[in-house]
Amino acid sequence: MIRSFSLALCIFFLGCSHAPETGRTQLIMLSSSQEIALGHEAFAEVLKKEKIVSSGEEYEMVQEVGEKVALAASRLYPNAVRGYKWRFALIKDKDMVNAWALPGGKCAVYTGLLPIAKNKDGLAIVMAHEVAHVIARHGAERASHSMVGAAVVAGMAMADMNKRDRSVVLGAYGLGVALPFSRTQETEADQLGLYIAADAGFDPRQAIPLWKRMGTENKGAPPEFMSTHPSSKTRIQQLRRWMPKAMLYYDTAIAHEDALQTNNKPKN
Ligand SMILES: [Zn+2]
């Protein structure tokens, strides 16, 4: 009893952190470097297995949107993405309406998502939502809950992740045996994602029609876009609440782009 209590106390002090933006207290037992190593490993495996598109209009669009989203994420949440080496894979699978991001900045979009994303703004909203899950360390958080449960019972050391914990983390990020994020995490990813997309120069108002399209056209999709998302009505109310702040980011980004264009115009 005393042993489990001191272990629990130790876990509490070791694993207590806060989500960016919302300040929500999180219990996270994995280090960032463990998470990043896992992300790299999983990404390399995916690249070997899937059909990767590496040229063409759709590929260029994913690179452009991805790079802008990554830059905005680094501006808004620099501590959360330190050491990231961003990559944006486009996977050829027209039936898969999905995208994911892994710790370390490894992201993927499936070609099946593009018709529903419809345009760069829509794609940016989805990619920024995925990046937000990583920034807020939602996969590690989910895994930590099950790891802590197991550790308290068994009194085991948690320095090494076993196979089960690894698959839980990856599943939580939408890979392998998918483990849906909680509703709280989805709401958090919507909020952070909205700010990131807006700061990247994409219209945050497009998030409302985008998530409506995802809700109605995305039947039978993977859990990431289905099960625990807030109901459409709640989601739209929340997006409207965050919109004024998102519009400040967007207006600043657009003003900055305009100024750049004016400066780059040849002078007569
Ligand atoms: Zn999500």
Side-chain angles (χ1 to χ4, degrees):
M1 179 65 195
I2 289 173
R3 192 172 171 215
S4 347
F5 179 72
S6 37
L7 185 72
L9 209 65
C10 165
I11 286 166
F12 180 77
F13 285 113
L14 271 177
C16 218
S17 62
H18 294 93
E21 197 68 50
T22 63
R24 182 173 61 85
T25 305
Q26 296 173 295
L27 181 73
I28 296 182
M29 301 308 303
L30 300 174
S31 69
S32 294
S33 54
Q34 273 177 311
E35 258 197 297
I36 290 175
L38 208 59
H40 284 206
E41 202 184 301
F43 191 68
E45 273 172 36
V46 171
L47 293 188
K48 269 192 263 165
K49 243 180 21 205
E50 303 283 358
K51 268 195 187 150
I52 306 295
V53 182
S54 53
S55 63
E57 221 170 276
E58 290 185 337
Y59 168 80
E60 296 299 338
M61 177 165 95
V62 170
Q63 301 311 302
E64 184 197 327
V65 171
E67 277 161 23
K68 285 184 178 172
V69 163
L71 259 179
S74 315
R75 267 194 302 268
L76 296 183
Y77 308 107
N79 293 334
V81 296
R82 192 152 290 142
Y84 274 34
K85 290 195 174 67
W86 297 91
R87 288 278 306 277
F88 313 97
L90 176 61
I91 298 174
K92 192 172 177 156
D93 188 341
K94 66 175 175 39
D95 299 320
M96 194 71 154
V97 183
N98 201 14
W100 42 255
L102 292 172
K106 310 300 187 230
C107 312
V109 170
Y110 292 79
T111 50
L113 174 73
L114 299 177
I116 293 176
K118 226 171 166 178
N119 50 38
K120 286 181 188 173
D121 293 313
L123 180 62
I125 301 287
V126 177
M127 289 180 84
H129 172 97
E130 294 309 317
V131 165
H133 276 306
V134 172
I135 286 178
R137 305 188 65 197
H138 288 160
E141 187 182 13
R142 297 232 80 188
S144 300
H145 283 279
S146 68
M147 286 162 78
V148 167
V152 170
V153 172
M156 68 180 195
M158 282 177 297
D160 299 309
M161 261 188 291
N162 63 30
K163 220 174 158 188
R164 181 177 143 270
D165 295 328
R166 288 154 56 98
S167 69
V168 170
V169 183
L170 295 175
Y173 281 114
L175 273 181
V177 185
L179 178 76
F181 292 115
S182 72
R183 192 165 287 193
T184 305
Q185 291 177 326
E186 288 304 343
T187 298
E188 212 162 67
D190 274 354
Q191 186 181 8
L192 269 72
L194 192 71
Y195 298 157
I196 293 169
D199 191 68
F202 297 102
D203 189 345
R205 290 165 294 193
Q206 293 293 321
I208 292 169
L210 177 271
W211 290 121
K212 275 187 185 164
R213 287 198 296 279
M214 290 292 270
T216 52
E217 295 179 44
N218 195 20
K219 305 281 182 246
E224 162 53 359
F225 294 130
M226 296 291 290
S227 53
T228 59
H229 276 150
S231 73
S232 196
K233 205 174 143 209
T234 311
R235 191 169 210 183
I236 286 159
Q237 278 170 352
Q238 286 168 334
L239 289 167
R240 291 215 168 102
R241 189 151 38 87
W242 303 319
M243 206 54 80
K245 185 169 173 182
M247 287 305 289
L248 288 179
Y249 283 128
Y250 179 58
D251 291 341
T252 309
I254 294 302
H256 184 70
E257 265 176 35
D258 288 349
L260 273 182
Q261 273 175 7
T262 315
N263 286 341
N264 289 339
K265 264 193 196 145
K267 291 188 178 73
N268 294 324

Short mmCIF file of all heavy atoms in Angstrom, two decimals, residues 223-266:
data_model
loop_
_atom_site.label_atom_id
_atom_site.label_comp_id
_atom_site.label_asym_id
_atom_site.label_seq_id
_atom_site.Cartn_x
_atom_site.Cartn_y
_atom_site.Cartn_z
N PRO A 223 -11.50 6.41 -36.65
CA PRO A 223 -11.98 7.05 -35.42
C PRO A 223 -11.55 8.50 -35.27
O PRO A 223 -12.26 9.30 -34.69
CB PRO A 223 -11.37 6.22 -34.31
CG PRO A 223 -11.03 4.93 -34.93
CD PRO A 223 -10.81 5.16 -36.39
N GLU A 224 -10.38 8.86 -35.78
CA GLU A 224 -9.89 10.23 -35.60
C GLU A 224 -10.94 11.27 -35.96
O GLU A 224 -11.10 12.26 -35.29
CB GLU A 224 -8.60 10.43 -36.39
CG GLU A 224 -8.19 11.88 -36.64
CD GLU A 224 -8.11 12.76 -35.40
OE1 GLU A 224 -8.40 12.28 -34.29
OE2 GLU A 224 -7.82 13.95 -35.55
N PHE A 225 -11.70 11.02 -37.03
CA PHE A 225 -12.66 12.03 -37.44
C PHE A 225 -14.09 11.69 -37.03
O PHE A 225 -15.03 12.32 -37.46
CB PHE A 225 -12.59 12.28 -38.95
CG PHE A 225 -11.29 12.89 -39.34
CD1 PHE A 225 -10.55 12.35 -40.37
CD2 PHE A 225 -10.81 13.99 -38.67
CE1 PHE A 225 -9.33 12.92 -40.72
CE2 PHE A 225 -9.59 14.57 -39.01
CZ PHE A 225 -8.85 14.03 -40.04
N MET A 226 -14.27 10.67 -36.24
CA MET A 226 -15.63 10.24 -35.97
C MET A 226 -16.03 10.27 -34.51
O MET A 226 -16.64 11.20 -34.03
CB MET A 226 -15.84 8.81 -36.50
CG MET A 226 -15.71 8.69 -37.99
SD MET A 226 -17.08 9.50 -38.83
CE MET A 226 -18.39 8.37 -38.42
N SER A 227 -15.61 9.22 -33.79
CA SER A 227 -16.32 8.85 -32.58
C SER A 227 -16.40 9.90 -31.47
O SER A 227 -17.46 10.14 -30.94
CB SER A 227 -15.72 7.58 -32.04
OG SER A 227 -14.34 7.76 -31.91
N THR A 228 -15.26 10.50 -31.12
CA THR A 228 -15.33 11.34 -29.93
C THR A 228 -15.37 12.83 -30.24
O THR A 228 -15.23 13.65 -29.35
CB THR A 228 -14.14 11.08 -28.98
OG1 THR A 228 -12.95 11.35 -29.72
CG2 THR A 228 -14.14 9.67 -28.47
N HIS A 229 -15.51 13.15 -31.51
CA HIS A 229 -15.62 14.57 -31.80
C HIS A 229 -16.89 15.13 -31.17
O HIS A 229 -17.90 14.46 -31.13
CB HIS A 229 -15.62 14.81 -33.30
CG HIS A 229 -14.24 14.86 -33.87
ND1 HIS A 229 -13.94 14.48 -35.15
CD2 HIS A 229 -13.08 15.22 -33.32
CE1 HIS A 229 -12.65 14.63 -35.35
NE2 HIS A 229 -12.11 15.06 -34.26
N PRO A 230 -16.81 16.37 -30.72
CA PRO A 230 -18.03 16.96 -30.14
C PRO A 230 -19.12 16.97 -31.21
O PRO A 230 -18.81 16.96 -32.41
CB PRO A 230 -17.59 18.40 -29.83
CG PRO A 230 -16.12 18.44 -29.93
CD PRO A 230 -15.68 17.31 -30.77
N SER A 231 -20.37 16.99 -30.78
CA SER A 231 -21.45 16.97 -31.76
C SER A 231 -21.30 18.23 -32.62
O SER A 231 -20.75 19.23 -32.20
CB SER A 231 -22.80 17.00 -31.06
OG SER A 231 -23.02 18.29 -30.55
N SER A 232 -21.80 18.11 -33.83
CA SER A 232 -21.63 19.16 -34.81
C SER A 232 -22.03 20.53 -34.26
O SER A 232 -21.32 21.52 -34.44
CB SER A 232 -22.46 18.77 -36.01
OG SER A 232 -22.09 19.49 -37.08
N LYS A 233 -23.16 20.56 -33.53
CA LYS A 233 -23.68 21.83 -33.03
C LYS A 233 -22.72 22.44 -32.00
O LYS A 233 -22.37 23.62 -32.07
CB LYS A 233 -25.05 21.57 -32.39
CG LYS A 233 -25.94 22.78 -32.37
CD LYS A 233 -27.33 22.43 -31.86
CE LYS A 233 -27.85 23.56 -31.02
NZ LYS A 233 -28.77 23.16 -30.00
N THR A 234 -22.26 21.60 -31.05
CA THR A 234 -21.32 22.07 -30.02
C THR A 234 -20.03 22.55 -30.68
O THR A 234 -19.48 23.59 -30.32
CB THR A 234 -20.96 20.90 -29.08
OG1 THR A 234 -22.17 20.28 -28.68
CG2 THR A 234 -20.17 21.34 -27.88
N ARG A 235 -19.58 21.77 -31.65
CA ARG A 235 -18.32 22.08 -32.30
C ARG A 235 -18.38 23.46 -32.97
O ARG A 235 -17.46 24.27 -32.86
CB ARG A 235 -18.04 21.00 -33.34
CG ARG A 235 -16.66 21.08 -33.89
CD ARG A 235 -16.36 19.86 -34.69
NE ARG A 235 -14.95 19.59 -34.60
CZ ARG A 235 -14.34 18.62 -35.25
NH1 ARG A 235 -15.04 17.80 -35.98
NH2 ARG A 235 -13.06 18.45 -35.14
N ILE A 236 -19.49 23.71 -33.65
CA ILE A 236 -19.64 24.98 -34.36
C ILE A 236 -19.75 26.15 -33.38
O ILE A 236 -19.15 27.20 -33.57
CB ILE A 236 -20.78 24.89 -35.39
CG1 ILE A 236 -20.27 24.04 -36.55
CG2 ILE A 236 -21.24 26.26 -35.87
CD1 ILE A 236 -21.29 23.41 -37.40
N GLN A 237 -20.46 25.91 -32.28
CA GLN A 237 -20.56 26.97 -31.24
C GLN A 237 -19.16 27.29 -30.69
O GLN A 237 -18.81 28.45 -30.50
CB GLN A 237 -21.43 26.49 -30.08
CG GLN A 237 -22.91 26.66 -30.35
CD GLN A 237 -23.77 25.96 -29.29
OE1 GLN A 237 -23.26 25.22 -28.44
NE2 GLN A 237 -25.07 26.19 -29.37
N GLN A 238 -18.37 26.23 -30.46
CA GLN A 238 -17.02 26.44 -29.92
C GLN A 238 -16.15 27.20 -30.92
O GLN A 238 -15.44 28.14 -30.56
CB GLN A 238 -16.36 25.10 -29.60
CG GLN A 238 -16.92 24.43 -28.36
CD GLN A 238 -16.46 22.98 -28.24
OE1 GLN A 238 -16.14 22.32 -29.24
NE2 GLN A 238 -16.42 22.48 -27.04
N LEU A 239 -16.24 26.79 -32.20
CA LEU A 239 -15.44 27.45 -33.23
C LEU A 239 -15.78 28.94 -33.31
O LEU A 239 -14.90 29.79 -33.43
CB LEU A 239 -15.66 26.79 -34.60
CG LEU A 239 -15.06 25.39 -34.77
CD1 LEU A 239 -15.60 24.71 -36.02
CD2 LEU A 239 -13.54 25.43 -34.82
N ARG A 240 -17.08 29.24 -33.19
CA ARG A 240 -17.51 30.65 -33.24
C ARG A 240 -16.92 31.44 -32.06
O ARG A 240 -16.55 32.59 -32.19
CB ARG A 240 -19.04 30.75 -33.21
CG ARG A 240 -19.67 30.23 -34.47
CD ARG A 240 -20.92 31.02 -34.88
NE ARG A 240 -21.30 30.64 -36.23
CZ ARG A 240 -22.29 29.80 -36.52
NH1 ARG A 240 -23.03 29.30 -35.56
NH2 ARG A 240 -22.55 29.48 -37.79
N ARG A 241 -16.85 30.76 -30.90
CA ARG A 241 -16.30 31.41 -29.70
C ARG A 241 -14.81 31.74 -29.89
O ARG A 241 -14.32 32.76 -29.42
CB ARG A 241 -16.54 30.48 -28.50
CG ARG A 241 -16.23 31.08 -27.16
CD ARG A 241 -17.07 30.49 -26.02
NE ARG A 241 -17.30 29.06 -26.12
CZ ARG A 241 -16.48 28.12 -25.64
NH1 ARG A 241 -15.37 28.46 -25.04
NH2 ARG A 241 -16.80 26.84 -25.75
N TRP A 242 -14.08 30.86 -30.56
CA TRP A 242 -12.63 31.09 -30.73
C TRP A 242 -12.33 31.97 -31.95
O TRP A 242 -11.20 32.39 -32.14
CB TRP A 242 -11.90 29.74 -30.93
CG TRP A 242 -12.10 28.77 -29.82
CD1 TRP A 242 -12.11 29.03 -28.48
CD2 TRP A 242 -12.31 27.35 -29.95
NE1 TRP A 242 -12.31 27.88 -27.77
CE2 TRP A 242 -12.44 26.82 -28.64
CE3 TRP A 242 -12.39 26.48 -31.03
CZ2 TRP A 242 -12.65 25.47 -28.40
CZ3 TRP A 242 -12.60 25.12 -30.80
CH2 TRP A 242 -12.74 24.64 -29.49
N MET A 243 -13.34 32.22 -32.78
CA MET A 243 -13.11 32.89 -34.06
C MET A 243 -12.51 34.30 -33.94
O MET A 243 -11.61 34.63 -34.71
CB MET A 243 -14.42 32.91 -34.87
CG MET A 243 -14.23 32.98 -36.37
SD MET A 243 -13.15 31.70 -37.05
CE MET A 243 -14.24 30.29 -37.16
N PRO A 244 -12.97 35.15 -32.97
CA PRO A 244 -12.38 36.49 -32.92
C PRO A 244 -10.86 36.45 -32.75
O PRO A 244 -10.14 37.19 -33.43
CB PRO A 244 -13.06 37.13 -31.69
CG PRO A 244 -14.35 36.39 -31.55
CD PRO A 244 -14.07 34.99 -32.01
N LYS A 245 -10.37 35.58 -31.88
CA LYS A 245 -8.91 35.49 -31.69
C LYS A 245 -8.24 34.95 -32.96
O LYS A 245 -7.19 35.43 -33.38
CB LYS A 245 -8.60 34.59 -30.48
CG LYS A 245 -7.12 34.55 -30.15
CD LYS A 245 -6.84 33.87 -28.82
CE LYS A 245 -5.34 33.69 -28.61
NZ LYS A 245 -5.03 33.01 -27.36
N ALA A 246 -8.89 33.94 -33.58
CA ALA A 246 -8.34 33.36 -34.81
C ALA A 246 -8.27 34.43 -35.91
O ALA A 246 -7.30 34.49 -36.66
CB ALA A 246 -9.18 32.17 -35.26
N MET A 247 -9.30 35.30 -35.97
CA MET A 247 -9.32 36.34 -37.01
C MET A 247 -8.19 37.36 -36.80
O MET A 247 -7.68 37.91 -37.77
CB MET A 247 -10.68 37.04 -37.06
CG MET A 247 -11.79 36.19 -37.67
SD MET A 247 -11.42 35.56 -39.34
CE MET A 247 -11.51 37.07 -40.30
N LEU A 248 -7.81 37.60 -35.54
CA LEU A 248 -6.68 38.50 -35.28
C LEU A 248 -5.40 37.90 -35.88
O LEU A 248 -4.62 38.59 -36.53
CB LEU A 248 -6.48 38.72 -33.77
CG LEU A 248 -7.52 39.57 -33.05
CD1 LEU A 248 -7.20 39.65 -31.56
CD2 LEU A 248 -7.56 40.97 -33.65
N TYR A 249 -5.21 36.60 -35.65
CA TYR A 249 -4.04 35.93 -36.24
C TYR A 249 -4.10 36.00 -37.76
O TYR A 249 -3.10 36.27 -38.43
CB TYR A 249 -4.02 34.44 -35.83
CG TYR A 249 -3.54 34.17 -34.42
CD1 TYR A 249 -4.31 33.39 -33.55
CD2 TYR A 249 -2.31 34.64 -33.97
CE1 TYR A 249 -3.88 33.10 -32.26
CE2 TYR A 249 -1.88 34.35 -32.68
CZ TYR A 249 -2.66 33.58 -31.83
OH TYR A 249 -2.23 33.30 -30.57
N TYR A 250 -5.29 35.74 -38.31
CA TYR A 250 -5.46 35.70 -39.77
C TYR A 250 -5.19 37.07 -40.39
O TYR A 250 -4.43 37.19 -41.35
CB TYR A 250 -6.87 35.22 -40.10
CG TYR A 250 -7.20 35.15 -41.57
CD1 TYR A 250 -6.43 34.36 -42.43
CD2 TYR A 250 -8.26 35.87 -42.11
CE1 TYR A 250 -6.73 34.27 -43.78
CE2 TYR A 250 -8.56 35.79 -43.47
CZ TYR A 250 -7.80 34.99 -44.29
OH TYR A 250 -8.09 34.91 -45.63
N ASP A 251 -5.80 38.13 -39.81
CA ASP A 251 -5.62 39.48 -40.35
C ASP A 251 -4.14 39.88 -40.32
O ASP A 251 -3.63 40.49 -41.26
CB ASP A 251 -6.47 40.50 -39.57
CG ASP A 251 -7.96 40.29 -39.83
OD1 ASP A 251 -8.30 39.66 -40.85
OD2 ASP A 251 -8.79 40.76 -39.02
N THR A 252 -3.46 39.53 -39.23
CA THR A 252 -2.03 39.86 -39.13
C THR A 252 -1.24 39.11 -40.20
O THR A 252 -0.36 39.68 -40.85
CB THR A 252 -1.50 39.47 -37.72
OG1 THR A 252 -2.37 40.04 -36.76
CG2 THR A 252 -0.09 39.94 -37.49
N ALA A 253 -1.57 37.84 -40.40
CA ALA A 253 -0.86 37.03 -41.40
C ALA A 253 -1.06 37.60 -42.80
O ALA A 253 -0.12 37.71 -43.59
CB ALA A 253 -1.34 35.58 -41.34
N ILE A 254 -2.30 38.00 -43.10
CA ILE A 254 -2.60 38.54 -44.44
C ILE A 254 -1.90 39.88 -44.65
O ILE A 254 -1.32 40.14 -45.70
CB ILE A 254 -4.14 38.67 -44.63
CG1 ILE A 254 -4.79 37.28 -44.63
CG2 ILE A 254 -4.50 39.42 -45.91
CD1 ILE A 254 -4.26 36.32 -45.68
N ALA A 255 -1.92 40.74 -43.60
CA ALA A 255 -1.25 42.04 -43.70
C ALA A 255 0.25 41.83 -43.96
O ALA A 255 0.87 42.54 -44.75
CB ALA A 255 -1.47 42.84 -42.42
N HIS A 256 0.80 40.82 -43.30
CA HIS A 256 2.23 40.53 -43.45
C HIS A 256 2.53 40.06 -44.88
O HIS A 256 3.49 40.50 -45.50
CB HIS A 256 2.60 39.44 -42.43
CG HIS A 256 4.06 39.11 -42.42
ND1 HIS A 256 5.00 40.00 -41.94
CD2 HIS A 256 4.74 38.01 -42.83
CE1 HIS A 256 6.19 39.45 -42.06
NE2 HIS A 256 6.07 38.25 -42.60
N GLU A 257 1.65 39.20 -45.41
CA GLU A 257 1.82 38.70 -46.79
C GLU A 257 1.74 39.86 -47.79
O GLU A 257 2.54 39.94 -48.72
CB GLU A 257 0.72 37.68 -47.14
CG GLU A 257 1.16 36.24 -46.91
CD GLU A 257 0.03 35.25 -47.15
OE1 GLU A 257 -0.80 35.49 -48.05
OE2 GLU A 257 -0.02 34.24 -46.43
N ASP A 258 0.76 40.76 -47.56
CA ASP A 258 0.59 41.91 -48.46
C ASP A 258 1.83 42.80 -48.45
O ASP A 258 2.29 43.24 -49.49
CB ASP A 258 -0.63 42.75 -48.04
CG ASP A 258 -1.94 42.02 -48.37
OD1 ASP A 258 -1.88 41.00 -49.09
OD2 ASP A 258 -3.00 42.45 -47.88
N ALA A 259 2.35 43.03 -47.22
CA ALA A 259 3.54 43.89 -47.10
C ALA A 259 4.72 43.25 -47.84
O ALA A 259 5.48 43.94 -48.53
CB ALA A 259 3.88 44.08 -45.63
N LEU A 260 4.85 41.93 -47.73
CA LEU A 260 5.94 41.23 -48.41
C LEU A 260 5.83 41.41 -49.91
O LEU A 260 6.80 41.68 -50.61
CB LEU A 260 5.91 39.74 -48.08
CG LEU A 260 6.63 39.28 -46.82
CD1 LEU A 260 6.53 37.78 -46.68
CD2 LEU A 260 8.10 39.71 -46.88
N GLN A 261 4.57 41.26 -50.41
CA GLN A 261 4.35 41.38 -51.85
C GLN A 261 4.66 42.78 -52.35
O GLN A 261 5.29 42.95 -53.40
CB GLN A 261 2.91 41.01 -52.20
CG GLN A 261 2.79 39.51 -52.42
CD GLN A 261 1.37 39.05 -52.64
OE1 GLN A 261 0.46 39.87 -52.75
NE2 GLN A 261 1.19 37.75 -52.70
N THR A 262 4.26 43.79 -51.57
CA THR A 262 4.53 45.18 -51.96
C THR A 262 6.03 45.42 -52.02
O THR A 262 6.55 46.04 -52.94
CB THR A 262 3.88 46.15 -50.95
OG1 THR A 262 2.57 45.69 -50.69
CG2 THR A 262 3.84 47.56 -51.45
N ASN A 263 6.75 44.90 -50.99
CA ASN A 263 8.21 45.12 -50.95
C ASN A 263 8.92 44.43 -52.09
O ASN A 263 9.96 44.86 -52.54
CB ASN A 263 8.78 44.60 -49.62
CG ASN A 263 8.42 45.54 -48.50
OD1 ASN A 263 8.09 46.69 -48.74
ND2 ASN A 263 8.49 45.05 -47.28
N ASN A 264 8.34 43.29 -52.54
CA ASN A 264 9.01 42.53 -53.59
C ASN A 264 8.71 43.03 -55.01
O ASN A 264 9.31 42.59 -55.95
CB ASN A 264 8.62 41.05 -53.50
CG ASN A 264 9.26 40.42 -52.28
OD1 ASN A 264 10.23 40.95 -51.77
ND2 ASN A 264 8.71 39.30 -51.83
N LYS A 265 7.72 43.96 -55.11
CA LYS A 265 7.38 44.49 -56.44
C LYS A 265 8.54 45.32 -56.98
O LYS A 265 9.09 46.15 -56.26
CB LYS A 265 6.13 45.38 -56.33
CG LYS A 265 4.88 44.62 -56.67
CD LYS A 265 3.71 45.56 -56.86
CE LYS A 265 2.44 44.76 -56.80
NZ LYS A 265 1.37 45.48 -56.18
N PRO A 266 8.89 45.12 -58.25
CA PRO A 266 10.00 45.94 -58.79
C PRO A 266 9.60 47.42 -58.81
O PRO A 266 8.46 47.76 -59.15
CB PRO A 266 10.17 45.39 -60.22
CG PRO A 266 8.96 44.57 -60.50
CD PRO A 266 8.33 44.21 -59.22
#
